[in-house]
């Protein structure tokens, strides 16, 4: 059989290719020459399979898409409290290069420039030199991508020569006492971070690493702890698309981040990582075709985060009753994924059973269990046994402690 997914991706890309509005960014000289017709899309699955279509291996500078990954490194290196002291998590409603500070002097979030420059200076040990911090960023983002990334030196120099606005932002944060280090160093390092070269396939793998709780699905490396990814994806969901974040969340429903070179990355927790690239931008600074591709993908593949899955009601595969003479044992058979809502259905079924009769809890059809699901089921078995009920657990995959 020919796998239908690559064909679906090709068709979808063709359908979005007629969106030719928008303009290639003119403010960074090195980016202004990009071929406006380039268009690539890639998708990475939880097992590390990467599907690509069109110009999916064309390299471009990552720009603002580096921000969530730099934020992840800062969180992992300095801890949540320190990072939150310096940068907030509220959507700004402003464009990406605005002066967006809270009353306390803290930049509103790490996805806009003022917050990203501040975040960059929080990566690694406070005593790192500029070069050492650059090296940490390069190694960290490469680990997310699963290959050695490189800096586009020409793009870096070109943007560094035009960095007055980002420098102004950095000085402002410095004046508020919220910048760890020197403004020039922070902007230099941040600009270098933005000049890393990636393609749409890299973006898909980087996104899937975030969506898989920090484990790169291609290399198997645990790049950052899982709690970091929860934090990063939350901020991407509320702030990743600048002042279009609310509209994006309601129409596409995938935590995402865009960059001014035309890249766009989306991470759907536990499911899929998506990368897109097309240089023409809308007035907010998001890739026109990239946005269109995400709208189509989300609708066609049912990827909206807020689309409620129909699992909880199907938790009970069946209940085998003892026969009329009271022979045989009652068997409660569960199926699917044991997360809180699913286990709750099972717990109520168990709690309603007559107290004294023996039961079999059959987990043969259970696909997986969250930490909470597992601990609640363990507790249910313990409680039933404490009530002197005879409980047998059929658990071929060893999900529970209880046997
Ligand atoms: N390097 C760009 C800047 O700092 C990144 C902006 C972006 O991609 N939105 O202005």
């Amino acid at each position: 059989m020919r796998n239908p997914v690559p064909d679906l991706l090709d068709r979808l890309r063709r359908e979005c290719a007629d969106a030719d509005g928008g303009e290639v960014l003119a403010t960074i000289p090195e980016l202004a020459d990009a071929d406006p017709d380039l268009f690539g899309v890639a998708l990475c699955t939880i097992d590390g399979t990467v599907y690509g279509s069109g110009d999916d291996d064309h390299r471009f500078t990552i720009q603002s898409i580096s921000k969530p990954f730099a934020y992840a490194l800062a969180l992992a290196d300095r801890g949540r409290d320190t990072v939150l002291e310096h940068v907030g998590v509220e959507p700004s409603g402003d464009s990406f290069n605005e002066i967006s500070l809270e009353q306390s002097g803290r930049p509103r979030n790490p996805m806009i420039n003022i917050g990203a420059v501040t975040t960059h200076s929080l990566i690694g040990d406070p005593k790192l030199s500029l070069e050492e911090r650059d090296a940490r960023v390069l190694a960290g983002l490469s680990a997310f991508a699963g290959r050695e990334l490189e800096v586009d030196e020409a793009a870096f120099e070109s943007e560094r020569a035009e960095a007055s606005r980002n420098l102004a932002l950095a000085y402002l944060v410095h004046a508020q006492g919220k910048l760890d280090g020197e403004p020039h160093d922070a902007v230099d390092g941040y600009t270098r971070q933005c000049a890393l070269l990636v393609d749409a396939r890299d973006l898909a793998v980087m996104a899937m690493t975030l969506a898989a709780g920090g484990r790169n699905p291609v290399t198997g490396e645990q790049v950052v702890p899982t709690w970091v990814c929860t934090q990063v994806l939350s901020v991407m969901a509320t702030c990743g698309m600048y002042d279009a974040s609310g509209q994006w969340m309601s129409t596409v429903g995938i935590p995402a981040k865009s960059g001014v070179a035309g890249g766009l990355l989306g991470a759907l927790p536990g499911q899929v990582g998506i990368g897109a690239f097309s240089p023409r931008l809308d007035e907010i600074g998001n890739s026109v075709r990239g946005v269109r591709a995400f709208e189509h993908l989300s609708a066609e593949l049912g990827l909206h985060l807020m689309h409620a899955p129909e699992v909880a009601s199907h938790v009970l595969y069946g209940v085998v009753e003892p026969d009329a003479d009271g022979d045989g044992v009652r068997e409660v058979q569960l199926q699917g994924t044991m997360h809180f809502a699913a286990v709750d259905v099972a717990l109520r079924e168990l709690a309603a059973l007559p107290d004294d009769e023996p039961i079999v809890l059959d987990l043969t059809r259970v696909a997986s269990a969250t930490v909470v699901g597992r601990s609640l089921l363990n507790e249910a078995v313990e409680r039933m046994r404490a009530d002197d009920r005879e409980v047998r657990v059929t658990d071929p995959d060893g999900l529970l402690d209880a046997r």
Side-chain angles (χ1 to χ4, degrees):
M1 183 203 77
R2 214 170 84 163
N3 184 348
V5 176
D7 297 341
L8 185 147
L9 214 54
D10 282 339
R11 173 177 57 73
L12 207 130
R13 195 184 51 80
R14 277 198 306 277
E15 286 169 3
C16 298
D18 62 351
D20 58 2
E23 300 288 338
V24 176
L25 183 84
T27 53
I28 303 176
E30 192 65 24
L31 299 190
D33 299 333
D35 174 359
D37 288 323
L38 290 167
F39 186 22
V41 185
L43 209 139
C44 178
T45 63
I46 191 103
D47 66 356
T49 304
V50 180
Y51 299 105
S53 176
D55 302 304
D56 59 330
D57 56 0
H58 181 89
R59 302 243 164 111
F60 53 93
T61 52
I62 189 168
Q63 299 297 339
S64 282
I65 304 170
S66 63
K67 291 170 181 170
F69 300 98
Y71 186 47
L73 297 180
L75 287 164
D77 292 348
R78 301 274 183 102
R80 196 184 141 90
D81 291 348
T82 303
V83 173
L84 284 178
E85 258 168 49
H86 292 82
V87 190
V89 291
E90 293 301 333
S92 68
D94 291 327
S95 46
F96 69 87
N97 54 8
E98 269 312 306
I99 300 170
S100 219
L101 297 175
E102 293 172 350
Q103 213 72 50
S104 66
R106 204 171 59 151
R108 275 191 212 284
N109 71 66
M111 300 296 138
I112 48 176
N113 287 11
I114 195 163
V117 171
T118 311
T119 302
H120 176 89
S121 63
L122 293 171
I123 295 171
D125 188 274
K127 291 193 280 298
L128 291 190
S129 67
L130 181 57
E131 290 73 26
E132 287 168 334
R133 183 153 298 118
D134 286 347
R136 165 72 181 133
V137 172
L138 180 66
L141 267 72
S142 296
F144 271 105
R147 72 173 184 88
E148 270 317 302
L149 300 179
E150 282 169 358
V151 172
D152 181 334
E153 296 291 343
F156 166 60
E157 292 299 345
S158 158
E159 192 176 358
R160 183 155 69 160
E162 309 276 336
S164 321
R165 192 175 175 100
N166 284 339
L167 271 170
L169 297 176
Y171 270 103
L172 209 53
V173 183
H174 189 252
Q176 305 281 348
K178 295 288 179 191
L179 190 74
D180 205 13
E182 286 306 311
H184 271 274
D185 286 356
V187 171
D188 234 54
Y190 161 77
T191 308
R192 220 175 152 71
Q193 164 196 315
C194 287
L196 284 168
L197 284 167
V198 291
D199 59 26
R201 300 177 75 88
D202 294 325
L203 293 185
V205 175
M206 295 173 88
M208 190 64 236
T209 303
L210 282 179
R215 189 174 175 279
N216 184 313
V218 177
T219 63
E221 183 186 351
Q222 186 73 36
V223 180
V224 289
T226 300
W227 68 265
V228 165
C229 296
T230 310
Q231 175 77 9
V232 172
L233 289 170
S234 308
V235 177
M236 281 167 66
T238 50
C239 312
M241 299 298 279
Y242 311 124
D243 42 341
S245 295
Q247 190 192 329
W248 174 268
M249 204 54 206
S250 69
T251 53
V252 176
I254 299 175
K257 188 73 205 77
S258 61
V260 286
L264 185 49
L265 163 151
L268 188 63
Q271 284 201 46
V272 72
I274 306 171
F277 166 63
S278 189
R280 288 199 199 93
L281 309 179
D282 60 22
E283 56 294 341
I284 292 162
N286 298 327
S287 165
V288 171
R289 285 171 172 171
V291 169
R292 176 83 79 93
F294 268 80
E295 285 168 355
H296 279 235
L297 275 168
S298 172
E300 280 203 31
L301 305 183
L303 301 180
H304 200 298
L305 189 60
M306 301 306 171
H307 180 78
E310 295 171 43
V311 277
S313 54
H314 300 132
V315 178
L316 280 179
Y317 175 78
V319 179
V320 179
E321 308 277 348
D323 63 23
D325 306 327
D327 288 335
V329 177
R330 186 184 300 269
E331 198 170 313
V332 178
Q333 302 161 331
L334 306 184
Q335 66 177 355
T337 301
M338 295 298 115
H339 50 53
F340 170 73
V343 170
D344 172 66
V345 174
L347 293 179
R348 276 182 282 121
E349 180 73 19
L350 294 171
L353 295 179
D355 262 345
D356 43 0
E357 68 176 33
I359 68 151
V360 173
L361 184 60
D362 181 5
L363 306 182
T364 313
R365 296 168 193 82
V366 168
S368 62
T370 64
V371 174
V372 175
R374 200 169 285 167
S375 95
L376 283 173
L377 281 175
N378 272 325
E379 184 163 346
V381 173
E382 273 170 29
R383 286 187 178 203
M384 288 189 288
R385 285 184 179 150
D387 291 343
D388 277 338
R389 187 204 292 275
E390 194 186 311
V391 184
R392 206 148 39 81
V393 186
T394 314
D395 182 13
D397 294 333
L399 290 168
L400 300 195
D401 303 332
R403 295 273 138 237

